[in-house]
């Protein structure tokens, strides 16, 4: 069998390697139009700043390894210019014609470059997709001794590039995001932690603003603000590379990606596709989406190989699990965000909580913020977290629970490793399940940041804590005193109780609910989340103040 693989990235390389392990007699050729194969693209921002200090470390595999160990032929600089589905041939570099029995389309995606005056052919503007992009950035930084770096786009790559610029001595870094917050896969609460962390490390954030034009020395924003720049990196996102698929008549999905079935077959049964150029089904909604992530791309390559070799294998939708380092903080997520669910008119509940990385009585424990989204049936719709240690561990557990169809109640029963240096007897995963269970059973009514302005606020912490800090206009009744002072509170007004992180206010709400109060709510994640959101809000307002 002759198999041609177009693209030597995560999906294409994985498909070729797996195919060889399944069929040692197959004739396998990778056609890569660049001179890079199996590059660790996700590490490029760290290579730009020399956190990853050698090019060799950026190579996941090599041409020699594919040829010598796997007996896979690789043609570099081989751009496929035409696919003839009837003849089952491809044309390389407009000259060489190669035949195939099965074809794998894995050309990936290309950076999105907006139509903005002054952006094209600008020697100061870069994208970060390939190793050669990183090399050009490194060379530019060195040659001009850059003082002002601007990152356009607040997604994962944008955040990583901004961090790595900021870590360079003498480089003032600004990140511009057109949306109201950075990191589109998470919601405003989780993003606030990342935004505060970035500002703490000297990155200027400009939100809800876009690029109008670029001159030789300045970037002009839609708001009229002007920024000096020595280097600008476009990190707005990517578009699926579908030119070949369109040209040969393969079906393209409504998202703009190549349409494939669960076996990663295109509308032509002899052509498979995977990676950043295909649309997949969202795990939560079932909708067709584009989710350009390395993990799914590698898995799709393996599934393609299995099916070509005659071993039925199915791609089971994409959860979108992702994690990003933001200086000393980790942000992780899986599933849908509140913004996504709202946009799709999907009903949901949400809860926020804080959990320690390990037992808080063991030295070095750090606190992590969690946001869980779920529905009336107990289905887990999404998870977000922000903290320092063990963040992705808990998100991975919940993503795995989602994959296996577990409900929020199953999180309570999750039997996770425990010893004081590693976790708590009640792991944050268990606690999230308990929160959701209490909400669904009506044991507590959750309140959120947006509910504060329309409610009677009661601080249920101790007098000392209340006097130290509280939410403006809040009254004070210590939790134990509610059992005797509850008659002081009106039953016809919405009451929001709050404490530090939400547990004491939950206890207080249970007291009042059992005293006949029906309009009593507990502020999830308490004053700690409130302070984080206010800090972010004030910083955003300050950034909009004319200088």
């Amino acid at each position: 069998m002759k198999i041609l693989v177009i693209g030597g990235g995560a999906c294409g390389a994985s498909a070729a390697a797996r195919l060889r392990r399944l069929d040692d007699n197959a004739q396998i050729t990778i056609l890569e139009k660049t001179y890079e194969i199996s590059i660790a693209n996700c590490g490029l921002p760290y290579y730009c700043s020399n956190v990853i200090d050698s090019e060799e470390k950026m190579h996941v595999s090599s041409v020699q390894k594919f040829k010598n160990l796997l007996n896979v032929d690789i043609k570099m600089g081989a751009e496929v210019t035409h696919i003839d589905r009837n003849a089952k041939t491809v044309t390389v570099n407009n000259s060489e014609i190669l035949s195939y029995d099965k074809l794998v389309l894995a050309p990936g995606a290309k950076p999105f470059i907006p139509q903005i005056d002054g952006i094209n052919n600008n020697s100061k503007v870069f994208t970060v997709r390939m190793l050669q992009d990183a090399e050009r950035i490194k060379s530019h930084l060195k040659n001009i001794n850059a003082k002002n770096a601007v990152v356009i786009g607040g997604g994962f790559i944008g955040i990583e590039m901004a961090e790595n610029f900021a870590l360079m001595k003498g480089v003032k870094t600004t990140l511009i995001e057109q949306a109201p917050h950075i990191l589109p896969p998470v919601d405003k609460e989780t993003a606030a932690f990342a935004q505060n962390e970035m500002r703490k490390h000297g990155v200027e954030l400009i939100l809800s603003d876009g690029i109008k034009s670029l001159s030789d020395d300045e970037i002009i924003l839609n708001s009229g603000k002007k920024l000096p720049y020595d280097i600008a990196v476009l990190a707005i996102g990517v578009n699926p590379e579908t030119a070949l698929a369109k040209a040969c008549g393969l079906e393209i999905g409504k998202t703009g990606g190549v349409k494939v079935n669960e076996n990663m077959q295109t509308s032509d049964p002899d052509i498979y596709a995977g990676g950043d150029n295909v649309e997949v089904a969202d795990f939560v909604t079932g909708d067709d989406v584009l989710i350009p992530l390395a993990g799914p791309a590698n898995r799709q390559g393996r599934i393609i190989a299995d099916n070509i070799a005659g071993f039925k294998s199915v791609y089971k939708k994409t959860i979108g699990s992702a994690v990003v380092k933001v200086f000393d903080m980790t942000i992780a997520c899986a599933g849908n965000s509140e913004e996504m669910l709202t946009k799709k008119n999907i009903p949901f509940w949400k809860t926020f909580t804080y959990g320690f990385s390990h037992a808080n009585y063991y030295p070095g424990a750090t606190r992590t913020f969690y946001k869980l989204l779920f529905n009336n049936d107990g289905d887990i719709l999404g998870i977000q977290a922000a903290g320092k240690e063990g963040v992705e561990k808990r998100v991975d557990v919940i993503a795995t629970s989602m994959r296996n169809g577990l409900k929020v109640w199953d999180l309570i029963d999750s039997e996770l490793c425990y010893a004081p240096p590693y976790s708590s007897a009640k792991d944050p995963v268990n606690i999230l399940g308990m929160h959701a269970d209490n909400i669904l059973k009506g044991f507590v009514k959750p309140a959120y940041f947006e509910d504060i302005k329309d409610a009677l606020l009661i601080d249920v912490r101790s007098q000392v804590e209340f006097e130290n800090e509280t939410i403006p206009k809040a009254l004070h009744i210590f939790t134990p005193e509610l059992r005797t002072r509850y008659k002081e509170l009106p039953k016809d007004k919405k009451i929001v109780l709050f404490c530090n992180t939400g547990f004491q206010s939950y206890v207080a709400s249970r007291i009042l609910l059992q005293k006949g109060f029906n309009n009593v709510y507990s502020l999830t994640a308490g004053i700690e989340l409130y302070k984080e959101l206010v800090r972010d809000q004030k910083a955003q307002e300050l950034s909009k103040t004319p200088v």
Side-chain angles (χ1 to χ4, degrees), residues 181-290:
H181 66 76
I182 62 174
L183 295 173
V186 305
D187 293 311
K188 60 183 180 182
E189 301 92 357
T190 312
F193 287 85
Q195 289 166 183
N196 288 333
E197 180 74 4
M198 295 186 77
R199 296 186 189 103
K200 173 184 169 183
H201 288 271
V203 177
E204 180 184 359
L205 295 181
I206 299 176
L207 306 174
S208 301
D209 206 349
I211 310 296
K212 183 178 181 181
S213 63
L214 294 88
S215 68
D216 291 340
D217 301 312
E218 291 181 321
I219 294 175
I220 299 92
L221 305 184
N222 293 331
S223 62
K225 188 171 184 176
K226 297 180 179 180
L227 301 172
Y229 76 108
D230 300 309
I231 182 170
V233 171
L234 286 174
I236 302 173
V238 295
N239 287 328
E241 186 63 83
T242 57
L244 283 172
K246 289 178 180 177
C248 72
L250 295 179
E251 184 180 354
I252 304 298
K254 62 182 180 181
T255 66
V258 178
K259 189 79 173 176
V260 292
N261 62 18
E262 63 180 7
N263 305 120
M264 306 308 297
Q265 276 178 308
T266 67
S267 53
D268 184 326
D270 291 322
I271 301 179
Y272 292 76
D276 294 354
N277 68 318
V278 302
E279 70 174 21
V280 294
D282 179 83
F283 182 85
V284 173
T285 66
D287 294 341
D288 292 325
V289 291
L290 295 171

Side-chain angles (χ1 to χ4, degrees), residues 378-546:
D379 298 314
I380 305 167
L381 306 178
I383 177 68
Q384 301 167 32
K388 292 189 175 182
E389 297 175 84
V391 179
E392 74 289 350
K393 168 185 172 181
R394 273 72 187 212
V395 169
D396 284 342
V397 169
I398 294 175
T400 302
S401 299
M402 292 174 67
R403 172 67 68 191
N404 288 282
L406 302 184
K407 305 281 189 174
V408 291
W409 302 289
D410 296 307
L411 299 181
I412 303 173
D413 297 325
S414 295
E415 196 168 323
L416 306 174
C417 293
Y418 162 62
Y422 302 103
S423 185
S424 301
K426 291 180 182 177
D427 189 87
V429 170
N430 304 132
I431 298 295
L432 281 166
M434 294 173 189
H435 270 239
D437 179 59
N438 284 336
I439 290 170
L440 292 176
K441 287 179 177 175
F443 292 162
V444 66
K445 295 181 178 181
Y448 313 103
F449 183 77
E450 55 267 30
D451 297 317
I452 290 175
K453 63 181 183 299
D454 298 321
L456 173 63
L457 294 175
I458 307 293
D459 189 332
V460 297
R461 299 172 302 159
S462 69
Q463 185 71 32
V464 173
E465 291 173 298
F466 172 70
E467 291 176 354
N468 181 52
E469 62 175 3
T470 192
I471 298 175
K473 298 182 180 180
L475 304 178
H476 176 251
I477 303 178
F478 191 28
T479 300
E481 297 173 3
L482 279 171
R483 293 184 175 92
T484 56
R485 296 180 58 188
Y486 68 92
K487 292 181 180 179
E488 299 175 22
L489 300 174
K491 287 189 175 182
D492 61 346
K493 187 172 178 61
K494 182 176 181 178
I495 299 172
V496 172
L497 310 172
F498 69 91
C499 59
N500 286 326
T501 60
F503 177 71
Q504 191 175 161
S505 61
Y506 159 59
V507 173
S509 74
R510 290 300 303 153
I511 293 171
L512 292 182
L513 286 169
Q514 292 175 78
K515 295 292 186 184
F517 287 78
N518 294 316
N519 207 10
V520 172
Y521 297 78
S522 172
L523 184 63
T524 54
I527 196 171
E528 289 300 318
L529 176 58
Y530 170 83
K531 290 189 296 183
E532 197 75 34
L533 295 174
V534 169
R535 186 180 303 121
D536 176 55
Q537 198 174 68
K538 288 181 177 178
Q540 290 192 48
E541 290 170 359
L542 189 63
S543 70
K544 295 175 183 177
T545 303

Side-chain angles (χ1 to χ4, degrees), residues 77-372:
E79 181 177 4
V80 175
T81 52
H82 179 68
I83 297 172
D84 187 329
R85 289 168 51 197
N86 293 323
K88 297 182 78 170
T89 62
V90 304
T91 303
V92 179
N93 295 332
N94 293 313
S95 57
E96 184 179 9
I97 297 176
L98 302 175
S99 63
Y100 66 85
D101 295 308
K102 302 291 181 183
L103 181 66
V104 179
L105 273 178
K110 54 188 176 182
F112 172 67
I113 300 176
Q115 296 300 309
I116 294 174
D117 185 35
I119 206 168
N120 291 319
N121 301 315
N122 188 324
S123 62
K124 291 183 178 182
V125 177
F126 299 82
T127 56
V128 189
R129 188 69 182 173
M130 299 173 60
L131 188 58
Q132 65 180 16
D133 295 329
E135 295 289 5
R136 284 197 290 262
I137 289 171
K138 288 161 73 82
S139 176
H140 183 77
L141 289 168
K142 182 179 179 181
N143 292 339
I144 67 165
N145 190 25
K147 300 296 182 186
N148 294 288
V150 176
V151 177
I152 304 167
F156 293 114
I157 296 297
I159 300 303
E160 291 168 345
M161 284 303 304
E163 175 181 341
N164 282 278
F165 279 139
L167 292 174
M168 297 178 191
K169 188 176 180 180
V171 178
K172 182 182 184 300
T173 305
T174 302
L175 185 144
I176 302 165
E177 171 55 56
Q178 196 164 19
H181 66 76
I182 62 174
L183 295 173
V186 305
D187 293 311
K188 60 183 180 182
E189 301 92 357
T190 312
F193 287 85
Q195 289 166 183
N196 288 333
E197 180 74 4
M198 295 186 77
R199 296 186 189 103
K200 173 184 169 183
H201 288 271
V203 177
E204 180 184 359
L205 295 181
I206 299 176
L207 306 174
S208 301
D209 206 349
I211 310 296
K212 183 178 181 181
S213 63
L214 294 88
S215 68
D216 291 340
D217 301 312
E218 291 181 321
I219 294 175
I220 299 92
L221 305 184
N222 293 331
S223 62
K225 188 171 184 176
K226 297 180 179 180
L227 301 172
Y229 76 108
D230 300 309
I231 182 170
V233 171
L234 286 174
I236 302 173
V238 295
N239 287 328
E241 186 63 83
T242 57
L244 283 172
K246 289 178 180 177
C248 72
L250 295 179
E251 184 180 354
I252 304 298
K254 62 182 180 181
T255 66
V258 178
K259 189 79 173 176
V260 292
N261 62 18
E262 63 180 7
N263 305 120
M264 306 308 297
Q265 276 178 308
T266 67
S267 53
D268 184 326
D270 291 322
I271 301 179
Y272 292 76
D276 294 354
N277 68 318
V278 302
E279 70 174 21
V280 294
D282 179 83
F283 182 85
V284 173
T285 66
D287 294 341
D288 292 325
V289 291
L290 295 171
I291 302 183
L293 294 171
N298 276 282
R299 204 158 65 250
Q300 289 161 12
R302 181 184 176 91
I303 289 167
I304 288 169
D306 286 352
N307 286 299
I308 289 175
F311 302 96
K312 187 176 180 181
S313 189
V314 171
Y315 186 71
K316 300 176 182 178
K317 304 180 181 179
T318 295
I319 291 178
S321 301
V323 63
V324 63
K325 176 182 178 294
V326 187
F327 292 96
D328 298 326
M329 181 166 281
T330 298
I331 307 290
C333 62
N336 277 210
S337 66
E338 177 179 350
E339 292 168 15
M340 295 174 191
L341 295 171
T342 300
K343 186 176 181 181
K344 296 170 186 174
N345 295 314
I346 296 174
F348 64 90
W349 287 97
K350 62 181 176 180
T351 188
F352 309 136
T353 185
Y354 281 92
F356 284 103
S357 56
H358 56 255
N360 63 349
Y361 58 82
Y362 185 87
T366 58
R367 188 178 273 164
T368 299
F369 165 79
Y370 296 95
K371 178 175 184 175
L372 183 70

